[in-house]
């Protein structure tokens, strides 16, 4: 049944949708952070190398459509709004639209599955900054939900069903996520949550084919320690340790949807690192395209819409999002999404 006073707010980072958007988008992301223009020009060139845009906004719209269809199949009609931090549609404009439409209660779904400053707390700060006039409940990081785990497993299972069997003696397998400063990692569950997803995926693979967690997309002051190893460095190190290596598999578990950092840092930089040693390279899809991911969101929305607490369905969520959770330390500067 339709309940017009209630709605869903899909909250994301934002992305340029064409070459003309790239420079103003990068200025939005880095405003007030003292990033040199030369650095921005370099990132702008990276966008041009992948077509001058990012697929993130389009993929978010597709997720919104699929979630709406899934809810409709269950007889629930809720308006789903889309608001970004750094590009159109801007979060503040979307919140104003929701207020004009008479929304009184909203479930906020940040498009990030893991705890961290930029992936969780900052989204909450963004919403506070909009001075929302209606009641909101924000979905907590959901990477530990059984259906999220199942969604990641389905990505790997689909790959294994269509590719030659894995020979652990000649194959390196990496799960990747966005690197963050080590000071930021110390105040959140980011690494533990990533490790839990890796454990689920390990069970699908031959026992002698371990997954190594690697990171990508480091940015900011080079003097600030960030989580390592970088995926390109990890590929080089794997080949040096095993000259018989023939194949690299990369699973981007840290991201819901493809965006610039997946397309450039994995499909170009990591692929180039593998090919420099004559290695085959396979990058698996991100998790947002799976039916299990939409089923998870649908179940959580249905709990909320029936008056329950959707966060109670997420294992360990009761320990997340307290006052000292996901502090920024030195805030990361993400310049390519």
């Amino acid at each position: 049944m339709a309940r017009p006073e209630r709605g869903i707010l899909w909250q994301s980072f934002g992305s340029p949708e064409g070459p003309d958007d790239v420079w103003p988008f990068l200025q939005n992301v880095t405003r007030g952070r003292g990033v040199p223009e030369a650095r921005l020009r370099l990132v702008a060139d990276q966008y041009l190398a992948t077509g001058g845009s990012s697929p993130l906004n389009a993929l978010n719209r597709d997720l919104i459509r699929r979630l709406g269809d899934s809810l409709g199949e269950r007889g629930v009609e809720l308006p789903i709004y889309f608001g970004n931090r750094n590009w159109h549609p801007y979060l503040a404009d979307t919140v104003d639209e929701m207020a004009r439409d008479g929304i009184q209660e909203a479930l906020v779904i940040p498009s990030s599955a893991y705890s961290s400053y930029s992936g969780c707390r900052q989204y909450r700060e963004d919403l506070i900054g909009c001075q929302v006039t209606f009641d909101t409940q924000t979905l907590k990081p959901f990477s530990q939900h059984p259906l999220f785990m199942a969604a990641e497993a389905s990505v790997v299972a689909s790959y294994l069903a269509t590719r030659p069997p894995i020979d652990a003696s000649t194959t390196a397998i990496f799960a990747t996520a966005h690197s963050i400063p080590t000071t930021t990692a110390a105040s959140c569950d980011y690494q533990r949550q990533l490790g839990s997803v890796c454990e689920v995926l390990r069970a699908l693979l031959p026992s002698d084919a371990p997954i190594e967690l690697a990171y990508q997309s480091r940015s900011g002051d080079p003097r600030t320690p960030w989580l390592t190893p970088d995926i390109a460095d990890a590929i080089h190190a794997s080949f040096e340790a095993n000259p018989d290596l023939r194949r690299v598999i990369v699973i981007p578990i840290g991201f819901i949807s493809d965006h610039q950092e997946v397309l450039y840092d994995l499909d170009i930089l990591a692929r180039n690192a593998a090919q420099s040693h004559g290695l085959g390279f396979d990058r698996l899809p991100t998790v947002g395209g799976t039916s299990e991911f939409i089923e998870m969101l649908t179940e959580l929305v249905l709990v909320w819409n029936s008056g329950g607490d959707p966060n109670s369905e997420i294992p360990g969520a009761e320990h997340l999002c307290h006052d000292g959770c996901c502090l920024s330390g030195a805030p990361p500067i993400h310049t390519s999404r």
Side-chain angles (χ1 to χ4, degrees):
M1 297 177 59
R3 300 181 64 179
E5 77 281 2
R6 308 192 103 202
I8 300 167
L9 172 56
W10 184 269
Q11 191 179 2
S12 192
F13 188 88
S15 69
E17 299 188 68
D20 292 341
D21 296 342
V22 170
W23 189 249
F25 167 77
L26 294 176
Q27 289 177 313
N28 281 350
V29 174
T30 59
R31 183 170 287 112
R33 298 191 178 189
V35 178
E37 182 173 327
R39 168 61 182 163
L40 294 190
R41 295 291 178 191
L42 177 63
V43 176
D45 288 343
Q46 294 173 3
Y47 273 98
L48 295 177
T50 58
S53 65
S54 165
L56 182 59
N57 268 7
L59 291 172
N60 277 325
R61 294 188 186 100
D62 184 62
L63 282 166
I64 289 168
R65 177 191 60 78
R66 290 164 57 211
L67 175 58
D69 289 347
S70 179
L71 290 168
E73 290 170 359
R74 291 158 173 80
V76 174
E77 296 181 13
L78 290 169
I80 306 178
Y81 298 83
F82 177 25
N84 285 321
R85 179 183 302 159
N86 293 300
W87 199 245
H88 307 282
Y90 287 109
L91 179 63
D93 295 337
T94 300
V95 166
D96 288 345
E97 178 189 1
M98 295 173 73
R100 290 194 301 271
D101 288 349
I103 295 296
Q104 298 176 22
E105 299 175 74
L107 178 65
V108 183
I109 306 178
S111 58
S112 175
Y114 296 89
S115 298
S116 71
Y117 174 72
S118 59
C120 181
R121 188 181 184 112
Q122 192 173 11
Y123 282 116
R124 295 168 182 271
E125 293 174 354
D126 291 342
L127 196 62
I128 291 171
C130 290
Q131 299 180 333
V132 181
T133 58
F134 46 86
D135 293 334
T136 63
Q137 180 172 14
T138 297
L139 206 60
K140 293 185 178 183
F142 44 73
S143 65
Q144 309 302 287
H145 192 285
L147 280 171
F148 184 87
M149 299 284 196
E152 289 286 8
S154 74
V155 170
V156 174
S158 296
Y159 171 81
L160 294 175
T162 59
R163 300 290 293 175
I166 290 175
D167 180 350
S169 67
T170 62
T171 305
I173 307 172
F174 299 99
T176 67
H178 203 299
S179 184
I180 61 175
T182 56
T183 53
T184 304
S187 69
C188 66
D189 268 2
Y190 187 61
Q191 290 172 283
R192 184 192 63 77
Q193 292 167 357
L194 290 167
S196 295
V197 174
C198 286
E199 287 300 320
V200 169
L201 301 186
R202 283 190 181 100
L204 299 175
L205 299 166
S207 59
D208 57 349
I211 296 178
E212 179 181 350
L213 180 60
Y215 297 93
Q216 61 178 89
S217 313
R218 188 210 192 285
S219 60
D221 189 337
R223 297 168 296 183
T224 301
W226 284 50
L227 297 178
T228 58
D230 175 79
I231 179 59
D233 293 340
I235 291 171
H236 292 310
S238 291
F239 182 77
E240 291 171 4
N242 179 15
D244 293 328
L245 199 64
R246 295 293 177 267
R247 180 180 173 192
V248 172
I249 300 170
V250 174
I251 312 166
I253 66 169
F255 310 99
I256 290 174
S257 301
D258 284 9
H259 49 68
Q260 175 65 13
E261 288 167 337
V262 173
L263 299 183
Y264 187 78
D265 294 337
L266 295 183
D267 293 352
I268 294 180
L269 296 184
R271 182 182 298 275
N272 286 348
Q275 292 179 344
S276 71
H277 301 293
L279 307 177
F281 181 88
D282 288 327
R283 193 271 286 178
L284 274 60
T286 42
V287 72
T290 65
S291 60
E292 292 89 350
F293 183 77
I294 292 298
E295 181 63 25
M296 176 196 71
L297 293 181
T298 301
E299 289 191 4
L300 293 172
V301 171
L302 291 175
V303 170
W304 172 79
N305 197 50
S306 65
D309 177 8
N311 290 319
S312 67
E313 305 297 314
I314 302 171
E318 67 273 16
H319 303 300
L320 303 178
C321 306
H322 52 80
D323 288 346
C325 189
C326 298
L327 297 175
S328 63
I333 299 173
H334 298 319
T335 55
S336 52
R337 287 290 176 110

